[in-house]
Amino acid sequence: MSEYINYWLKEPPSESDVAEYEHLEYPDCDGLIDYKFREDELIEEFAEYIDQTYGGHYGQGGLQSSEVIVDRGHGIGFFLGNVDKYNGRYGKKGFPSDHRKDLMKIIHYGFLALYEHDRLNKTDDIEDFYNEVK
């Protein structure tokens, strides 16, 4: 499982958790989750996609351009701007496989925007967020 998922889980899942990945139990639910839209599979695929970006051009040279942009104070605008860019481009360029790549980029930049939001708002504990939502 990706380090990104592990960050939110705070610890790696046990082997038995992995075996039951499609039907994880959550304390606030009345039983097992029956994913209707393959969310569990898509999350796993997205984590693999992120891992691949670190092996590609995003990870070369030690610094990502996003890190420099965040350091200059423009992170949230940059990330949300890219969400808008790929959202507007979806379906207009290439083939369905290209459209799917645009969706992955939208999700990726959305995650980066979420990270930057949390950083700017000093949101260190995800449990605090969920307690506020309830």
Side-chain angles (χ1 to χ4, degrees):
M1 193 173 282
S2 168
E3 66 184 78
Y4 299 98
I5 294 173
N6 289 341
Y7 170 80
W8 294 109
L9 292 174
K10 303 290 187 203
E11 61 185 46
S14 69
E15 288 184 25
S16 62
D17 289 337
V18 172
E20 294 294 322
Y21 186 67
E22 291 183 335
H23 302 288
L24 293 174
E25 288 190 43
Y26 289 89
D28 295 339
C29 296
D30 293 336
L32 302 175
I33 293 178
D34 181 20
Y35 292 102
K36 303 293 183 193
F37 301 98
R38 296 187 322 118
E39 294 96 334
D40 54 339
E41 296 171 28
L42 293 170
I43 288 169
E44 188 173 334
E45 178 187 349
F46 180 69
E48 291 172 11
Y49 166 82
I50 294 290
D51 291 348
Q52 290 173 1
T53 68
Y54 276 81
H57 64 280
Y58 293 115
Q60 300 298 324
L63 273 182
Q64 296 181 21
S65 59
S66 296
E67 291 177 277
V68 174
I69 293 166
V70 166
D71 286 345
R72 291 179 179 166
H74 304 292
I76 197 73
F78 175 74
F79 298 140
L80 293 176
N82 277 292
V83 168
D84 289 343
K85 169 187 171 182
Y86 291 108
N87 181 51
R89 188 170 87 173
Y90 174 80
K92 295 182 177 125
K93 179 180 172 185
F95 300 97
S97 60
D98 297 309
H99 307 161
R100 195 171 196 280
K101 289 175 190 174
D102 288 339
L103 291 171
M104 292 297 269
K105 290 177 184 181
I106 291 167
I107 296 166
H108 190 179
Y109 280 110
F111 263 71
L112 295 173
L114 182 61
Y115 167 84
E116 184 64 358
H117 166 85
D118 289 349
R119 188 184 73 80
L120 292 172
N121 292 284
K122 312 280 189 273
T123 307
D124 294 328
D125 192 351
I126 195 67
E127 289 181 29
D128 289 344
F129 168 76
Y130 285 110
N131 288 333
E132 289 176 15
V133 171
K134 290 181 184 179

